[in-house]
Amino acid sequence: MINVAVCLGSSCHVRGSKDILAMLQKAVADNGLEKEVDISGSICFGECASGGVNMKVDGEMVTGITRENFPAFFEERILNRIKK
């Protein structure tokens, strides 16, 4: 199981965390990964200057996620881990 926590704090909220969370949920569902990816929200990871939304994937900080780079993030950090 891959654990993904999305920051929903005020800084990430302003940068689109609600949209990124929706994109993540849709990508997980579209790939049939509901049993392999656990999605949760968090208040703040303390990396507010990243320029995008912050997440933790299995405890590893990933900063600066935007609508534009989300597909690459999902491929690298989620799909590639599942393929291993």
Side-chain angles (χ1 to χ4, degrees), residues 64-76:
I65 304 302
T66 64
R67 291 167 195 85
E68 293 76 24
N69 69 21
F70 176 84
F73 156 80
F74 189 77
E75 176 73 28
E76 292 171 22

Side-chain angles (χ1 to χ4, degrees), residues 8 10 38 70:
L8 302 174
S10 58
D38 180 51
F70 176 84

Side-chain angles (χ1 to χ4, degrees), residues 14-78:
V14 169
R15 292 183 179 125
S17 62
K18 185 176 177 180
D19 292 340
I20 297 297
L21 178 60
M23 291 172 75
L24 178 60
Q25 291 169 325
K26 182 177 182 338
V28 166
D30 287 351
N31 286 277
L33 302 175
E34 295 91 338
K35 294 181 181 181
E36 297 184 60
V37 179
D38 180 51
I39 302 169
S40 63
S42 182
I43 296 303
C44 185
F45 297 129
E47 298 288 334
C48 302
S50 74
V53 175
N54 301 315
M55 296 187 200
K56 283 190 177 179
V57 179
D58 286 339
E60 179 184 344
M61 179 65 71
V62 182
T63 61
I65 304 302
T66 64
R67 291 167 195 85
E68 293 76 24
N69 69 21
F70 176 84
F73 156 80
F74 189 77
E75 176 73 28
E76 292 171 22
R77 301 293 179 130
I78 306 299

